[in-house]
Amino acid sequence: MVISAFFACASLDSGRPGRFLWRRLARLLPAYMAAVLLTYAVQRWIAPEGWNQLDGRDVVYNLLLINQWLPDVNIVDFAYWTVPVQIAAFIAGAVLVKRMRGRKLRVFLWALVVTPLLLRPLLDHSHALFVFYNGFALHRAQLFAAGIAIWLWHKHRMSTPHFAALLVATLMAQAIHTTEYGSTLGFGLLLLLVCAAAAGPDWVFFAPIATPVTWLAGISYGVYLVHQQIGTVVMDRMHAVGLRSWWLVAGFLTSALVLGWLMTKFVERPAYRLLTQIQSGSSGSSPRRPAPPVLPVSQPRTALADPLTELRLVGPLTVQMR
């Protein structure tokens, strides 16, 4: 979410909000919908008996991106909780980009960090607030604030002391929301690396591995969509035939890379080309950028993060996560 917010700012700063939003949706939604159907099919027909807790209603609500607003609906793959949150953030960014400038934007960033903390004590007293809080994953809002702040600092639009204070507040909020101080420390180190990458020159020492890294970056959204639940089923089926240890890891990684590449090549990129051609108003000609950029900027790699950390996890969703 941090990196996604950073690149969203770069796109919004140099382009039209409507164009930005359409392209983000064109990249995210078709592949997501295909992945929902594929993941459901794998759990329904390949996973062992008793694994699948999903039904047609769950699939429909997942496709409509409203499953997080309905406590009795199972999520098809727990990694997918980030997708509706991303889309909501992109819509908000497109709407607010012309209104949030200068001091207003800096105040808004602090509000993203502080407001969810103030709402936490009220969650046990209001079911409507609890649903709203979870639906928008407000306890992850500080991650978007950090990404925006890094971009502002990188563009010399935020002073270093102010930037440092906001990042410290982000880490404090992350620790409070998750109560996982070790992972918060790791997240802090990651933020420092992102800051170094944003502020410094290109890291030329990565040149020898640039080609494979670029390829992996190009299929990373597809990998994100298919790696978790399907990968777990793959490991289970491999275990059932007697394979153990590193064979399971190899199977998990191979399935993620192969299916992620297929999702990118046959769904994400063709759908993106078609939808951006529609936006350009000429379905018979290529848009200015006919394919998604090599480096994915619309999806964070937080697939294993728990969107309901320290909140309620009950019912079929808990069963599905086991």
Side-chain angles (χ1 to χ4, degrees), residues 232-274:
T232 305
V233 173
V234 168
M235 288 194 295
D236 177 86
R237 296 295 81 198
M238 292 176 67
H239 187 274
V241 298
L243 296 174
R244 300 289 186 270
S245 188
W246 290 104
W247 285 107
L248 302 184
V249 176
F252 177 89
L253 293 175
T254 301
S255 67
L257 291 174
V258 171
L259 292 176
W261 174 76
L262 291 172
M263 184 67 67
T264 302
K265 181 174 179 63
F266 294 106
V267 180
E268 180 191 346
R269 288 175 180 168
Y272 181 89
R273 275 195 299 270
L274 175 62

Side-chain angles (χ1 to χ4, degrees), residues 1 4 21 24-25 28-29 32-33 36 61-70 75-93 131-138 140 144 221 224-225 298-300 302 307-308:
M1 289 187 175
S4 180
L21 182 59
R24 294 283 68 76
L25 296 180
L28 284 172
L29 290 181
Y32 165 75
M33 292 179 177
V36 167
Y61 286 137
N62 275 261
L63 289 172
L64 294 175
L65 295 167
I66 59 175
N67 51 284
Q68 290 184 187
W69 294 86
L70 303 168
I75 191 167
V76 171
D77 187 320
F78 208 63
Y80 297 165
W81 75 268
T82 66
V83 177
V85 176
Q86 287 278 329
I87 291 174
F90 290 146
I91 293 173
V131 172
F132 177 83
Y133 193 91
N134 282 332
F136 284 115
L138 294 183
R140 297 291 183 254
F144 287 109
Y221 181 47
Y224 163 80
L225 289 172
S298 64
Q299 186 65 31
T302 54
L308 304 178

